[in-house]
Amino acid sequence: MFTYSLDEYTELRPLLMEHTKPLFELTDRSRDQLRHWLPWVDQVTEIEHTSKFITGALKQTAENGGLTAGIWLKGELAGIIGFHEINWTNRSVSIGYWLGKGFEGQGLMTSACRVLVDYALVTLDLNRVEIRCATNNKRSRAIPERLGFVLEGVIRQVEKLPKGYVNHAVYGMLQHEWELLR
């Protein structure tokens, strides 16, 4: 995994074990807003849970199955972005992401997503990138829409959150489409 500067203040860096405490603290500070959209938040109650997440992310990267990066703003961890398991047979991947409280609305995630889409479709030569978001999560949905992804459909009641099941909007970007947008 690379370190990539998004601008003079922001960069993507691979998650390392030394980031366990800052990641746990960011999750904990952001818990109230994250639990609306992410089912795992309430299971992350101890720093060891974050340590296991980073260990799994490092293993996945080492096995060429994905990558997970921290989004750093002025040296502070602001959020996470990464590939879910890369499907090398079908040359496809999905991207997951979240920002901590106080870091939204600055264009950080759109910039980070743009880099990962480019990395997937150009550097890794994958054919497809997918992003799924809860249909009511307007901020999250705005990211693939800004990047020119195609809304391919809605999957009904696909994820259980604390307030019940939510539908997901499924967005896709194909390699040849990305080449036209670059």
Side-chain angles (χ1 to χ4, degrees):
M1 175 55 187
F2 56 90
T3 297
Y4 188 91
S5 293
L6 300 176
D7 60 37
E8 63 181 304
Y9 301 111
T10 316
E11 65 183 4
L12 301 179
R13 287 191 233 151
L15 274 186
L16 303 173
M17 293 310 296
E18 65 197 54
H19 302 135
T20 301
K21 186 176 181 201
L23 179 55
F24 178 76
E25 290 172 349
L26 179 65
T27 304
D28 204 41
R29 279 193 315 271
S30 307
R31 192 173 299 282
D32 287 342
Q33 76 180 43
L34 294 176
R35 80 168 36 99
H36 291 290
W37 308 115
L38 300 171
W40 52 263
V41 172
D42 289 329
Q43 282 95 47
V44 178
T45 58
E46 301 175 10
I47 199 162
E48 290 77 23
H49 298 139
T50 302
S51 177
K52 286 180 184 176
F53 168 75
I54 293 176
T55 298
L58 290 169
K59 182 175 187 255
Q60 184 185 46
T61 300
E63 294 172 351
N64 204 26
L67 66 86
T68 304
I71 302 167
W72 299 83
L73 176 64
K74 298 178 184 175
E76 184 178 359
L77 183 60
I80 300 295
I81 188 166
F83 293 149
H84 297 130
E85 188 70 29
I86 298 172
N87 181 328
W88 289 105
T89 301
N90 293 307
R91 295 180 40 237
S92 66
V93 72
S94 66
I95 294 178
Y97 49 79
W98 62 270
L99 282 173
K101 185 176 181 177
F103 294 101
E104 315 92 328
Q106 302 176 53
L108 297 174
M109 196 54 76
T110 300
S111 295
C113 261
R114 184 177 288 112
V115 169
L116 255 61
V117 171
D118 204 62
Y119 185 69
L121 298 177
V122 177
T123 304
L124 297 179
D125 194 33
L126 299 179
N127 182 59
R128 175 184 167 78
V129 174
E130 182 176 288
I131 296 176
R132 294 183 181 197
C133 315
T135 54
N136 291 336
N137 190 342
K138 291 179 170 60
R139 284 187 167 200
S140 189
R141 289 186 68 174
I143 293 162
E145 290 170 359
R146 270 188 224 108
L147 294 174
F149 276 63
V150 173
L151 176 61
E152 297 176 333
V154 172
I155 302 173
R156 298 177 308 141
Q157 296 188 5
V158 69
E159 186 172 48
K160 188 172 192 275
L161 297 174
K163 291 187 177 182
Y165 286 95
V166 295
N167 300 337
H168 276 188
V170 179
Y171 292 91
M173 176 66 70
L174 302 178
Q175 188 182 59
H176 74 273
E177 295 167 337
W178 188 249
E179 290 170 1
L180 296 173
L181 295 172
R182 291 180 79 213

